[in-house]
Amino acid sequence: MYRTHTCGQLRVEHAGQETLLSGWVHRRRDHGPLIFIDLRDRYGLTQVVFDSTNAPEAHAVASQARSEFVLQLRGLVRTRPPESQNANLPTGEIEVVASSAEVLNPAKTPPLYIAKEGGEDEALRLKYRYLDLRRERMQKNLILRHKVVKFIRDFLDDESFLEIETPILIKSTPEGARDYLVPSRVHPGEFYALPQSPQQLKQLLMVAGYDRYFQIARCFRDEDLRADRQPEFTQLDLEMSFVDQEDVLTLIERLFTELSRELMPHKRLTTPWPRLTYAEAMQRYGSDKPDLRYGMELVDLSATVATSQFALFGEAAANGQQVKGIRVPGIGGYSRKQVDEVVELAKQAGARGLLWASLQQGTDPASVRSSFGKQVSNDEMAAIIATMGGKIDDMLLIVADKPSAAAAVLDKLRREMAARLGMADQNVLAWAWVTDFPLVEFNEEEGRWDAVHHPFTAPLDEDLVLMDSDPGRCRAKAYDMILNGYEAGGGSIRIFQREVQQKLFDLLGISRETAQAQFGHMLEAFEYGAPPHGGIAPGIDRIVMILAEEPTIREVMAFPKTQQAVDLMTNAPSPADERQLRDLHIRVADKPNT
RNA sequence: GGAGCCGGGGUGUAGUGGUCAAACAUGGAACCCUGUCAAGGUUCAGAGCGCGGGUUCGAAUCCCGUCGGCUCCGCCA
């Protein structure tokens, strides 16, 4: 036996009991004849006292112990003298007086401090992840993650959902993200793909009659990484039969509202969740995943400046462009250098330029310091200020560009300014729905229509006719759940009628042969009685990241990869040996020079 | 594929052309110390500044290239 209690367990009521503890040396305070060791495991810290007069052998062990040694000790629990109790520790009212002790395993000086977090290069944390994971921050996050997944499982179980596993080795489909491929040994030259999501499989489960399915599913996408994107990540994959969009939204909203209240009781949220159409979100925020914790909405000035003599405004109106801006409060006093930085930021986001006007001196047009004051009349400036609701000490930032570019630039500026000004309340969970996404969008490069969500997404009933006449305006029964400026999940009601599916394939330029080769199993399945169905896939990593107030998804994953998709701990990926390659019928064409 | 930031004892930083064969803190070693909880005190050891070129009388410091980490754009149905 190694322990009778954990290091987070003992309290005053245990005083007088004999205890056996095992754990890591968190801190050691050596007073010579008296040594204190804080023994740590994932349950907490317990102070152990080693007294050279009462237990010289145990004391000798303690004097040899160092940080992160694994120790086992036996001793008596006792209430600490009142003046030496530690209110900061749950176990702070007691201590264990060691009678015997043993070093189960010594430890080298660790490259990371376990007791003191932060500061070091993240590469070091990733290389020694098993040490990093000992720290409170990662422990807290992984425990929260466990609780989130547990809550989801319990909730869905209560709602009659079945958790069903789907294969990791599946058929590659060409659309969407780049697949991770796995070579087949048995079939030379052929490959499995790892699922980008179990999309088709869950739809086939609906055909199979498992009308309420979910899975905590690992997904794989071979694309470049971001703070909120890893090559493998986890989704709550969920699908329901005999439902419309409202049924899915209602259930998921209830799940995550209850989850938020249960696990994050100190955070506020708005119920019912706000709903925005895609068009509305783009118009008001320039983003399909706006952070609703603050305002600073985009203002459309196109009408205000439609008749302006200022060439930039006039041309915009003539070319079907938009003039839009945001009002940033409190930065009217920005120096020329600071303003230039903001302009530079806008250019990085794709702006050709950025107009600005400082209301540091107030809203009288004559007192406004701006980049375009000489180009417009006082009346025009006054109209712009009025339309944007300008107040003293504001900075107005304005772009004139095609709608997509204006949206991208103002979204970037809105987020950057909100971050600088600390406008987002950390104690708010701004859940919301974005609905009515376009069904397809035109791919300029390839000269064809692409599915915005995926090729099984149903169009809105009333927009069905647009699939022929004006596909770009055809809306879909597709929806995203958003949270604090992140896409927390997305889903749709699927097409379950063969004719509509064929119509969409035709629109996407997928020939019957191609459709048969790629989706034949789906099309065939749908001919055997497919129920109306739809679903959603919330991203577990992102949601936990936001709940934990962490800046990256890596902080809520046990063993994440770097931006180059490398695991610094195991050094994956690594070359395969010749024997393995031969078995897999693979020859490496471009070997790096080593 | 592109842009930006970072890279120095075990760890985190100061140092932005000579005063630096590199300072401070923490960690490490040794000793002192019976109530600490970031314990305290004394002493000692520990890096030539990611790597490779270049500029200069002189380079952690400037320039070029390269490698690694991060952030962002492209990409992510």
Side-chain angles (χ1 to χ4, degrees):
Chain A
M1 187 164 65
Y2 284 103
R3 57 183 175 185
T4 55
H5 300 86
T6 70
C7 296
Q9 196 177 353
L10 296 170
R11 295 290 185 276
V12 175
E13 62 259 32
H14 297 97
Q17 292 182 18
E18 185 82 4
T19 187
L20 186 60
L21 294 180
S22 290
W24 287 263
V25 175
H26 191 64
R27 285 200 182 89
R28 176 171 153 278
R29 295 176 292 278
D30 188 342
H31 292 230
L34 191 68
I35 297 173
F36 297 96
I37 283 180
D38 292 335
L39 200 67
R40 184 196 71 236
D41 59 22
R42 79 176 170 91
Y43 305 94
L45 291 178
T46 297
Q47 172 166 291
V48 183
V49 194
F50 298 84
D51 191 325
S52 58
T53 43
N54 297 328
E57 286 172 11
H59 179 271
V61 171
S63 67
Q64 295 305 309
R66 292 295 181 271
S67 286
E68 301 309 312
F69 275 36
V70 183
L71 238 53
Q72 181 189 36
L73 57 94
R74 190 178 296 278
L76 198 65
V77 183
R78 84 172 169 206
T79 308
R80 295 196 202 181
E83 66 279 7
S84 25
Q85 295 190 352
N86 185 345
N88 298 320
L89 280 182
T91 61
E93 287 181 87
I94 57 93
E95 63 194 359
V96 172
V97 187
S99 52
S100 66
E102 185 187 343
V103 173
L104 296 178
N105 215 343
K108 297 207 293 187
T109 302
L112 307 166
Y113 302 117
I114 310 303
K116 185 172 155 244
E117 302 195 20
E120 66 285 290
D121 194 318
E122 193 175 347
L124 197 73
R125 294 178 58 203
L126 293 176
K127 181 174 179 188
Y128 297 99
R129 192 59 158 183
Y130 43 85
L131 297 180
D132 190 39
L133 290 174
R134 287 181 186 171
R135 309 212 273 200
E136 194 178 3
R137 175 187 190 173
M138 289 305 301
Q139 256 184 32
K140 208 167 124 267
N141 291 346
L142 293 184
I143 290 167
L144 173 63
R145 186 179 177 126
H146 163 81
K147 286 181 175 167
V148 165
V149 172
K150 166 106 165 68
F151 188 96
I152 290 170
R153 285 200 161 105
D154 291 346
F155 181 97
L156 293 175
D157 180 62
D158 283 347
E159 297 283 335
S160 303
F161 279 79
L162 294 176
E163 182 168 12
I164 300 172
E165 290 180 86
T166 53
I168 292 292
L169 298 175
I170 63 168
K171 181 184 173 70
S172 177
T173 53
E175 288 214 46
R178 199 174 290 117
D179 282 325
Y180 276 99
L181 291 178
V182 179
S184 164
R185 174 182 56 82
V186 182
H187 302 278
E190 299 188 0
F191 297 82
Y192 301 96
L194 305 183
Q196 298 175 26
S197 80
Q199 181 60 40
Q200 295 183 21
L201 297 158
K202 71 175 170 179
Q203 290 192 243
L204 292 168
L205 285 170
M206 294 304 107
V207 177
Y210 295 87
D211 66 326
R212 295 189 144 210
Y213 143 90
F214 82 99
Q215 181 180 189
I216 305 297
R218 191 68 61 86
C219 304
F220 305 86
R221 295 181 188 175
D222 188 3
E223 297 292 349
D224 288 333
L225 284 71
R226 288 287 187 283
D228 64 346
R229 278 169 26 194
Q230 282 272 309
E232 52 180 306
F233 60 100
T234 303
Q235 286 186 342
L236 161 58
D237 192 53
L238 181 145
E239 195 80 3
M240 307 163 77
S241 292
F242 306 114
V243 291
D244 56 27
Q245 174 168 323
E246 199 54 41
D247 296 314
V248 178
L249 266 47
T250 304
L251 177 95
I252 294 298
E253 181 166 331
R254 200 153 55 76
L255 163 55
F256 284 99
T257 296
E258 288 182 22
L259 184 152
S260 301
R261 291 204 167 121
E262 172 78 18
L263 300 179
M264 295 281 132
H266 58 290
K267 298 213 180 213
R268 302 189 302 279
L269 63 154
T270 303
T271 52
W273 295 3
R275 293 192 186 188
L276 298 165
T277 64
Y278 172 83
E280 191 184 358
M282 292 306 292
Q283 185 205 321
R284 290 172 59 191
Y285 302 99
S287 166
D288 63 0
K289 48 178 192 293
D291 193 333
L292 300 181
R293 289 176 296 175
Y294 49 88
M296 204 152 64
E297 292 187 22
L298 279 49
V299 179
D300 194 335
L301 296 164
S302 303
T304 311
V305 301
T307 58
S308 174
Q309 295 301 304
F310 181 21
L312 194 66
F313 289 160
E315 284 167 20
N319 297 331
Q321 297 183 339
Q322 288 181 325
V323 179
K324 292 184 88 167
I326 55 171
R327 180 181 70 86
V328 187
I331 63 161
Y334 260 25
S335 67
R336 186 57 203 237
K337 188 177 168 214
Q338 286 173 303
V339 172
D340 284 346
E341 272 177 27
V342 175
V343 173
E344 188 51 40
L345 198 69
K347 285 182 176 166
Q348 282 169 15
R352 289 173 302 170
L354 180 72
L355 303 174
W356 55 271
S358 158
L359 308 188
Q360 187 178 22
Q361 306 297 326
T363 55
D364 176 1
S367 71
V368 170
R369 179 169 58 99
S370 78
S371 61
F372 61 102
K374 290 185 181 128
Q375 318 292 328
V376 298
S377 67
N378 275 358
D379 285 351
E380 273 177 334
M381 185 62 90
I384 289 170
I385 293 168
T387 305
M388 296 186 72
K391 295 186 179 62
I392 188 163
D393 215 27
D394 286 349
M395 181 75 74
L396 308 181
L397 303 174
I398 300 167
V399 294
D401 215 320
K402 59 184 187 204
S404 61
V409 172
L410 291 174
D411 169 46
K412 178 81 179 171
L413 291 176
R414 178 174 176 269
R415 283 184 288 126
E416 170 66 22
M417 288 302 143
R420 287 192 191 184
L421 299 171
M423 292 169 82
D425 186 338
Q426 284 298 313
N427 283 315
V428 170
L429 294 172
W431 295 100
W433 292 108
V434 179
T435 62
D436 297 358
F437 276 79
L439 182 68
V440 293
E441 69 185 342
F442 196 69
N443 183 330
E444 300 282 353
E445 277 179 31
E446 307 284 339
R448 60 151 200 256
W449 293 98
D450 282 347
V452 168
H453 188 55
H454 61 60
F456 306 106
T457 299
L460 287 190
D461 299 333
E462 64 264 38
D463 284 3
L464 203 53
V465 291
L466 290 172
M467 284 180 74
D468 299 316
S469 56
D470 192 353
R473 283 185 49 222
C474 183
R475 292 164 299 173
K477 294 177 184 173
Y479 34 83
D480 278 357
M481 51 191 285
I482 61 171
L483 173 58
N484 294 5
Y486 289 90
E487 178 192 330
S492 65
I493 299 299
R494 328 298 182 187
I495 298 170
F496 70 104
Q497 291 156 311
R498 182 73 203 249
E499 319 82 73
V500 181
Q501 186 66 67
Q502 189 56 54
K503 206 168 167 171
L504 181 53
F505 281 159
D506 289 346
L507 176 59
L508 296 173
I510 299 173
S511 70
R512 302 208 175 215
E513 296 71 39
T514 308
Q516 198 55 42
Q518 286 169 13
F519 310 115
H521 53 287
M522 293 283 285
L523 300 175
E524 190 178 11
F526 279 23
E527 291 178 343
Y528 288 101
H533 63 285
I536 194 167
I540 300 293
D541 317 274
R542 276 186 197 169
I543 290 171
V544 175
M545 168 186 86
I546 295 162
L547 295 181
E549 295 176 28
E550 288 290 1
T552 83
I553 211 174
R554 298 186 297 279
E555 302 296 345
V556 300
M557 304 176 101
F559 300 106
K561 293 176 179 61
T562 69
Q563 197 164 50
Q564 300 300 315
V566 169
D567 177 348
L568 291 178
M569 189 177 66
T570 63
N571 278 322
S574 55
D577 66 42
E578 284 303 324
R579 173 68 193 275
Q580 285 176 305
L581 291 175
R582 214 178 316 127
D583 282 352
L584 295 170
H585 323 285
I586 284 182
R587 199 173 303 127
V588 178
D590 300 308
K591 286 189 185 164
N593 299 318
T594 48

